[in-house]
Amino acid sequence: MINDLYFKYQPRYYNGEISSYEALLRSHIQNFNVEEFVCSIECAASFDLEIIRKVLQDRKSLSIGDDVSISLNISIASLLDDYFLDECLGIFEYERKYNIRIN
């Protein structure tokens, strides 16, 4: 589902130093509207789990310190999905440096 997409990690600063990054979904396809694409997703929970797993995978290859968190956006519909919540409990049991924003 997200094979043609990637993340741009936008730094967020506090007192002149990077305090966190926000994972922004992007595409290599010209004139691709990310917001329209995300709104067209039928199963938000599955998509959001893919997003979370991709960001976790990306973090391993990025030069981000352990004290710096990454924020990512998910759909509010995902929070209504028991499977999504169960998977997140398992994922974030050991992954602590992430902030999830609800859209």
Side-chain angles (χ1 to χ4, degrees):
M1 196 180 303
I2 64 171
N3 294 336
D4 296 326
L5 304 174
Y6 67 97
F7 288 95
K8 178 170 177 66
Y9 292 91
Q10 179 176 325
R12 303 182 75 170
Y13 294 88
Y14 180 76
N15 288 335
E17 296 200 14
I18 295 174
S19 61
S20 66
Y21 288 88
E22 183 173 6
L24 302 172
L25 192 61
R26 298 292 183 252
S27 174
H28 295 289
I29 301 169
Q30 193 171 7
N31 298 321
F32 183 84
N33 187 315
V34 172
E35 287 184 41
E36 285 180 16
F37 172 74
V38 170
C39 288
S40 74
I41 300 296
E42 290 184 25
C43 185
S46 293
F47 179 75
D48 285 342
L49 283 170
E50 281 190 67
I51 293 297
I52 291 168
R53 289 181 180 119
K54 175 68 172 140
V55 170
L56 290 171
Q57 181 183 25
D58 283 357
R59 184 177 184 126
K60 293 175 186 174
S61 64
L62 298 172
S63 298
I64 296 176
D66 289 337
D67 58 335
V68 177
S69 64
I70 296 178
S71 298
L72 54 111
N73 299 306
I74 63 164
S75 167
I76 196 165
S78 295
L79 295 178
L80 302 174
D81 186 289
D82 290 336
Y83 176 74
F84 176 83
L85 294 175
D86 288 342
E87 288 294 306
C88 282
L89 286 173
I91 290 169
F92 294 113
E93 182 176 1
Y94 302 104
E95 301 289 346
R96 304 275 182 197
K97 295 295 180 179
Y98 296 89
N99 299 309
I100 296 178
R101 296 175 183 219
I102 311 303
N103 287 335

